[in-house]
Amino acid sequence: MRSKQEIRRIVESFATSGKTRREYCQERGISITTLDYWRRKHKTKPELMEVAIEPRGAGPGFVLVLANGRRIESSWEFVEADLLRLIHAAEA
């Protein structure tokens, strides 16, 4: 039986791994249903961080400025879902 601390570390590790549930569970020798159960039981509220998106001059792209001062500049265009994933990864 795993301790609450160990389960919390596993859940947090999965959240930042970028892997699918299947990949993560296979590597760790746990079932997907167990991971899902632990994720529901140990769900933590994400810490919100204020962000601002500064428009760039001409052309597509953006500058994302996080509250902690980190800046992400890109000339690429992102669909909203991809931009949200980028923000989530930058805040982690």
Side-chain angles (χ1 to χ4, degrees), residues 37-53:
Y37 174 77
W38 289 344
R39 290 173 64 208
R40 281 191 307 276
K41 290 292 272 185
H42 296 281
K43 192 170 192 173
T44 58
K45 293 184 180 180
E47 186 177 319
L48 298 179
M49 181 180 290
E50 187 176 329
V51 298
I53 298 178

Side-chain angles (χ1 to χ4, degrees), residues 35-76:
L35 177 64
D36 290 344
Y37 174 77
W38 289 344
R39 290 173 64 208
R40 281 191 307 276
K41 290 292 272 185
H42 296 281
K43 192 170 192 173
T44 58
K45 293 184 180 180
E47 186 177 319
L48 298 179
M49 181 180 290
E50 187 176 329
V51 298
I53 298 178
E54 299 174 357
R56 289 176 51 132
F62 65 91
V63 177
L64 176 64
V65 182
L66 302 176
N68 63 7
R70 290 183 181 161
R71 296 172 57 93
I72 300 172
E73 298 185 40
S74 175
S75 60
W76 301 342

